[in-house]
Amino acid sequence: DITKRKKIEAQFMRAQRMESIGTLAGGIAHDLNNILSPIMMSIDILKTPSDSPETKQILETIKVSANRGADIVRQVLSFARGIEGQRIEVQPKHLLKDLENIIKDTFPKDIRLQFSIPNDTWTILGDPTQVHQVLLNLCVNARDAMPHGGSLTIDVENCVIDEQYAAMNSQAKAGRYVNISVTDTGTGIPPGILDKIFEPFFTTKELHKGTGLGLSTVMAIVKSHEGIINVYSEPGKGTIFKVYLPAMELSSEALKKQTQLVSPPRGNGETVLVVDDEASILTITSETLQAFGYRVLTATDGAEAVAVYS
């Protein structure tokens, strides 16, 4: 019986394939970053007090789209390098507002969307791009489970997990959590495969419609945030995914410090040498610095930079 050996071989081949995809993704992400950086830096220069509201709205739309593209690049890089990402204070209702716009623009019109987000939602410490990825993956799966339409409901609530519940659930630690529930009225998940859905490469979707990486990535991100994910499903009645992310506990003084606005510093004619091999990034960085009162010298590589400096 060589079944075990065959399984190990298959896992090894998958690991090699993932490594190749990661290397490729890293290269693509670098190129995309070079394309998006000048766009994002140009927008702030183009905004002037005399601009009409229509022009400002167009620029804001370009900025939002470019930022979303940059977020996707960061997602690709985090996938290529591993799940670790930046950890900052995140307000879930802001992420969900952005998610609502994406769903309304891209999901079929026969899927009804309902949001329930209290104004006093606690903040969490996490990577906003990765949390956004978790929610988007769950919503896309819900959409695919409702080919003939249905209801997609996203609920947010503050909750406290006590020592008793934590003792019964090996994943859980006692404390304050923000619970985000994604509920659909779709086909549901058969009981026989419910315990397999978080495995890498496991998918029930047709060929070319799913990689089997969505829920395994969701699980990895939730675990890296020290959170919990539970799923409840009945065939023909729909599915509920509940994601619990630890809430931040900040003092009022810390909150005041974080909300202070810092204006970008202005220069007084100081000279800055900018070196970059991408012409577009070099140009827009120079123009940005000049707009803020600096004198700028440029070079396209190290040797030229030394010559200019001399």
Side-chain angles (χ1 to χ4, degrees):
D1 184 1
I2 58 167
T3 308
K4 196 172 182 181
R5 196 181 81 196
K6 287 281 186 189
K7 278 185 180 175
I8 291 168
E9 283 175 4
Q11 283 177 344
F12 179 68
M13 291 298 287
R14 279 176 180 169
Q16 281 192 319
R17 195 161 71 241
M18 291 302 292
E19 195 176 325
S20 302
I21 291 169
T23 306
L24 179 67
I28 293 169
H30 176 76
D31 289 341
L32 280 174
N33 206 43
N34 283 344
I35 294 165
L36 288 167
S37 294
I39 296 171
M40 292 165 71
M41 293 167 75
S42 303
I43 291 162
D44 291 322
I45 292 180
L46 288 171
K47 282 183 180 175
T48 63
S50 59
D51 278 344
S52 67
E54 291 82 6
T55 305
K56 285 185 175 176
Q57 183 60 46
I58 291 166
L59 288 170
E60 194 56 40
T61 304
I62 294 169
K63 186 176 183 179
V64 168
S65 299
N67 279 328
R68 195 172 293 158
D71 284 346
I72 292 168
V73 169
R74 281 194 286 275
Q75 283 181 21
V76 169
L77 281 174
S78 69
F79 174 75
R81 295 170 182 166
I83 289 299
E84 284 307 313
Q86 60 171 340
R87 294 285 187 271
I88 61 171
E89 185 183 358
V90 179
Q91 175 48 262
K93 66 181 178 185
H94 298 326
L95 287 180
L96 288 163
K97 192 70 187 167
D98 187 39
L99 188 69
E100 183 180 6
N101 294 333
I102 295 171
I103 291 171
K104 282 180 177 173
D105 291 344
T106 60
F107 279 29
K109 302 302 175 196
D110 58 1
I111 291 178
R112 295 178 303 282
L113 182 63
Q114 293 179 311
F115 270 82
S116 175
I117 310 166
N119 288 326
D120 62 346
T121 303
W122 295 331
T123 57
I124 60 173
L125 184 69
D127 184 314
T129 304
Q130 290 179 0
V131 176
H132 191 277
Q133 187 179 358
V134 165
L135 300 173
L136 188 58
N137 275 350
L138 293 177
C139 289
V140 167
N141 279 355
R143 178 203 66 188
D144 293 345
M146 298 184 286
H148 307 297
S151 292
L152 173 59
T153 307
I154 298 173
D155 294 306
V156 180
E157 63 175 354
N158 300 328
C159 66
V160 178
I161 290 180
D162 56 22
E163 297 285 354
Q164 208 168 1
Y165 180 84
M168 292 188 294
N169 191 325
S170 59
Q171 303 174 57
K173 289 180 185 173
R176 303 185 335 146
Y177 286 80
V178 175
N179 171 22
I180 305 172
S181 302
V182 179
T183 307
D184 67 65
T185 56
T187 52
I189 304 167
I193 63 169
L194 201 57
D195 59 340
K196 295 180 184 175
I197 60 171
F198 293 108
E199 291 178 9
F201 300 103
F202 179 82
T203 180
T204 56
K205 294 178 185 177
E206 297 169 35
L207 195 62
H208 307 306
K209 287 198 175 176
T211 59
L213 288 170
L215 285 177
S216 64
T217 304
V218 165
M219 174 63 87
I221 291 172
V222 171
K223 276 189 173 177
S224 76
H225 282 73
E226 297 182 353
I228 312 160
I229 183 165
N230 291 328
V231 57
Y232 311 90
S233 188
E234 282 186 53
K237 292 190 177 178
T239 304
I240 306 172
F241 280 93
K242 286 180 174 284
V243 176
Y244 296 83
L245 297 170
M248 284 189 73
E249 299 199 24
L250 283 179
S251 65
S252 56
E253 281 182 26
L255 279 169
K256 275 181 193 171
K257 280 182 186 175
Q258 291 203 350
T259 52
Q260 285 175 352
L261 293 174
V262 180
S263 58
R266 297 197 66 85
N268 293 305
E270 296 95 332
T271 304
V272 181
L273 173 59
V274 182
V275 191
D276 201 289
D277 60 354
E278 283 284 330
S280 55
I281 291 179
L282 196 62
T283 303
I284 196 64
T285 306
S286 303
E287 288 178 8
T288 303
L289 288 167
Q290 284 169 6
F292 278 89
Y294 295 93
R295 177 171 170 261
V296 182
L297 302 175
T298 62
T300 55
D301 58 35
E304 188 185 344
V306 171
V308 170
Y309 180 77
S310 299

